[in-house]
Amino acid sequence: MNMPEITDHYNGIIQVKISMSFPLRWVNSYVLRGPEGLTIIDPGPHTPENEEEWNQAFRELGIALSDIEAVVLTHHHPDHLGCSGWIQQQTGCKVWMSERSFQETQRMWGPQSTMNSDLPDLFRRQGMPADWTDQLEVHMNSFMPQITPLPEVSFIPSEQLFTMGGRDWLPVQTAGHAPGHLSFYHEESGEILCGDAVLPQISPNVSLMPGSDPEPLQSFLMGLLKLKNLEVSTAYPGHRNPFRHFEERLEALLLHHEERLVKMEQLLASAPASGFELCVSLFSSKLGIHQMRFAMCETLAHTRELERRGRIAAFLNEDGMIQYKMM
């Protein structure tokens, strides 16, 4: 077992890289020490290996379990939520997230979740062949160990200062990548703990999911514009490394999605296409089921945005499958 890479940024923020699967390889967890106790942000997916990584990190940092006051989650995805229930079991600490994120947790992973049937149904209607959709239930079930046990959650009110590491942070709620996603902004220093709302090198996935946000790309773009109102000196993201070019990155992400919308219109200019056909044209078919799910949900987020803008229209073909055409 490798010792997790730990970086003390000497500003009250300690970065701990917790392992996850390829291609991301690690998620950034952050440890903040303060008079109110120790806060862990986004502790990574729950695996036996990551339990040991955290135990090694606690030893390296001289942290006793009794020191841990809170776990704070930027959003509900397994690579961020995962270890929170395990840490809560070990320490009795509170686990905090937005109420909207909690609703998404239940939609995806809760006892009443129907996502394992809803997602294949959505993809079938969008033209995805059975050799793909038949893989989805096993794929979705594979995440359950990574988020078990689910924590008991307390809710963070948006736009009210929240104390972590002896400092007051402003929770800024955005959506698109994950409904109810919270970034935490410290105005005096200009530092922001931005989870997956903004990443320094890759574009955060924006997914249309059954029963969730009906216009996720619009939500994501509005969230980027909301974050542009902040004067950020250093951003601490969920993946890759802290960065300073926050405003540049916001502009690049806004441009990236506009370019993808144009590309999708170009694909539809010659003939109508299904969501799956657009997905393969944009992202390729040489993907594993995990990446194909992301690619398909992102494609549908873009078709929905073009529909919202009145640029394309959906219709049913003779087989009852959804296709898209230019207006």
Side-chain angles (χ1 to χ4, degrees):
M1 174 61 60
N2 293 326
M3 177 71 193
E5 183 179 331
I6 298 173
T7 304
D8 191 336
H9 294 280
Y10 298 104
N11 57 355
I13 299 173
I14 299 170
Q15 177 186 0
V16 182
K17 294 181 178 179
I18 296 296
S19 296
M20 60 177 293
S21 58
F22 183 84
L24 291 175
R25 303 197 312 280
W26 82 83
V27 62
N28 290 322
S29 297
Y30 297 100
V31 175
L32 282 62
R33 296 182 191 266
E36 75 285 354
L38 185 140
T39 299
I40 298 173
I41 297 171
D42 289 349
H46 187 204
T47 65
E49 293 77 16
N50 286 351
E51 286 186 15
E52 183 55 32
E53 286 191 4
W54 271 116
N55 287 330
Q56 290 197 48
F58 294 153
R59 288 192 291 269
E60 177 74 15
L61 294 169
I63 294 170
L65 293 180
S66 58
D67 297 335
I68 300 171
E69 179 70 20
V71 172
V72 172
L73 305 174
T74 59
H75 61 297
H76 73 282
H77 291 164
D79 55 324
H80 297 257
L81 162 77
C83 275
S84 60
W86 170 72
I87 293 175
Q88 186 178 62
Q89 280 189 344
Q90 307 304 303
T91 66
C93 72
K94 282 194 169 185
V95 175
W96 296 87
M97 68 195 315
S98 73
E99 186 170 7
R100 186 69 174 87
S101 281
F102 176 73
Q103 292 168 1
E104 291 299 309
T105 304
Q106 296 302 305
R107 188 187 317 282
M108 289 296 298
W109 321 114
Q112 306 304 316
S113 175
T114 57
M115 192 60 69
N116 283 1
S117 57
D118 294 345
L119 193 61
D121 287 348
L122 171 66
F123 286 179
R124 282 188 206 98
R125 294 197 305 275
Q126 295 285 342
M128 180 178 274
D131 59 345
W132 283 108
T133 57
D134 288 350
Q135 299 179 56
L136 280 168
E137 184 172 1
V138 170
H139 165 64
M140 297 298 285
N141 283 335
S142 71
F143 292 102
M144 294 305 294
Q146 297 183 28
I147 54 89
T148 302
L150 286 173
E152 293 185 15
V153 172
S154 301
F155 298 140
I156 300 174
S158 188
E159 313 303 338
Q160 294 182 27
L161 292 177
F162 186 77
T163 302
M164 303 184 294
R167 292 195 278 175
D168 291 335
W169 301 78
L170 179 67
V172 182
Q173 184 165 311
T174 56
H177 175 71
H181 186 295
L182 291 177
S183 299
F184 296 91
Y185 177 63
H186 184 248
E187 184 175 12
E188 186 177 347
S189 65
E191 292 165 342
I192 189 168
L193 300 155
C194 55
D196 287 358
V198 185
L199 298 174
Q201 293 163 299
I202 56 177
S203 174
N205 175 255
V206 180
S207 283
L208 180 73
M209 296 292 287
S212 187
D213 185 346
E215 295 178 343
L217 183 54
Q218 167 72 350
S219 298
F220 184 71
L221 299 176
M222 294 301 292
L224 296 180
L225 294 174
K226 186 177 185 178
L227 292 168
K228 278 187 73 175
N229 293 322
L230 307 177
E231 293 186 13
V232 172
S233 61
T234 306
Y236 295 85
H239 302 282
R240 304 298 185 254
N241 286 308
F243 63 104
R244 295 184 180 276
H245 57 289
F246 190 75
E247 188 167 356
E248 272 179 57
R249 191 63 190 135
L250 292 173
E251 294 289 354
L253 289 169
L254 288 164
L255 178 61
H256 164 75
H257 287 289
E258 293 301 326
E259 290 175 342
R260 180 162 287 165
L261 291 169
V262 169
K263 175 65 173 175
M264 192 171 285
E265 286 186 284
Q266 291 170 344
L267 291 170
L268 290 170
S270 55
S274 69
F276 181 73
E277 289 168 336
L278 290 169
C279 176
V280 169
S281 295
L282 288 168
F283 295 102
S284 162
S285 61
K286 297 179 180 179
L287 303 172
I289 186 60
H290 183 68
Q291 292 301 320
M292 178 56 81
R293 172 171 69 88
F294 278 175
M296 188 68 177
C297 289
E298 177 132 350
T299 298
L300 298 181
H302 284 75
T303 59
R304 184 61 57 85
E305 178 61 11
L306 286 173
E307 287 184 273
R308 190 190 70 81
R309 296 184 186 189
R311 301 291 298 169
I312 68 172
F315 67 97
L316 296 180
N317 67 10
E318 61 274 12
D319 297 321
M321 299 292 178
I322 297 171
Q323 290 197 300
Y324 299 94
K325 63 181 180 180
M326 294 295 295
M327 290 289 283

